């Protein structure tokens, strides 16, 4: 079985959008100012708090989880989406590299796992967080006519 711990993250519209909402990517000074306005009302502290708790929505008919509607995000051109997706891949690489080099020490034994964080694990965590409670309703960019890269 090949080693999958070094494959890059899957940078669709979810990861870049979540990285913006969590304050990892900053598009406030973007050349595409018409598009960043959809992300202008960010409250990074609140969004980060949602990632630290298990936020649950209500239940719908039959006891199924009632998910909030996803807020419509900006529609990007091919060039804009390419740049944002590439920035997300690079940011995730930097996050994992930084985690591996943290000086955690003995006082934070419960966080030693961070030093072994892989790109697929970070990718999976961001996806999982994006599907929880209030974070599910955050705006995500769109690129109509694109199936996959």
């Amino acid at each position: 079985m090949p080693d999958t711990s070094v494959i890059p993250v899957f940078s669709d519209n979810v990861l870049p959008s979540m990285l913006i909402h969590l304050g990892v990517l900053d598009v406030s000074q973007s050349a595409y100012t018409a598009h960043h306005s959809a992300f202008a009302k960010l409250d990074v502290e609140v969004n980060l708090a949602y990632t630290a708790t298990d936020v649950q929505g209500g239940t719908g008919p039959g006891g199924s989880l009632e998910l909030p509607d996803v807020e419509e995000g900006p529609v990007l051109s091919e060039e804009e989406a390419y740049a944002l997706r590439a920035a997300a891949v690079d940011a995730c690489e930097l996050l994992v590299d930084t985690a591996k080099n943290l000086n955690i020490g003995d006082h934070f034994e419960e966080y030693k796992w961070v030093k072994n964080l892989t790109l697929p694990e970070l990718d999976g965590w961001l996806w999982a967080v994006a599907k929880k409670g209030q974070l599910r309703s955050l705006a995500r960019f769109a690129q109509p006519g694109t199936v996959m890269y």
Side-chain angles (χ1 to χ4, degrees), residues 15-53:
L15 257 57
S17 297
M18 289 306 297
L19 291 172
I20 290 169
H21 287 298
L22 297 174
V24 175
L25 294 178
D26 180 5
V27 294
S28 63
Q29 301 299 314
S30 170
Y32 313 113
T33 53
H35 299 302
H36 95 273
S37 64
F39 296 115
K41 59 182 177 178
L42 293 181
D43 190 337
V44 172
E45 293 301 318
V46 168
N47 293 342
L48 285 171
Y50 279 125
T51 66
T53 60

Side-chain angles (χ1 to χ4, degrees), residues 93-107:
E93 295 269 353
L94 289 170
L95 286 169
V96 168
D97 287 345
T98 300
K100 288 183 185 317
N101 294 308
L102 285 176
N103 183 9
I104 295 178
D106 296 334
H107 297 292

Side-chain angles (χ1 to χ4, degrees), residues 10 24 27 49 64 93 105 110 117 126:
F10 183 70
V24 175
V27 294
S64 63
E93 295 269 353
E110 69 268 24
L117 183 67
L126 286 167

Side-chain angles (χ1 to χ4, degrees), residues 58-77:
T59 55
S64 63
L65 186 61
E66 189 175 287
L67 299 172
D69 292 332
V70 174
E71 187 177 323
E72 188 168 322
V75 175
L76 303 183
S77 70

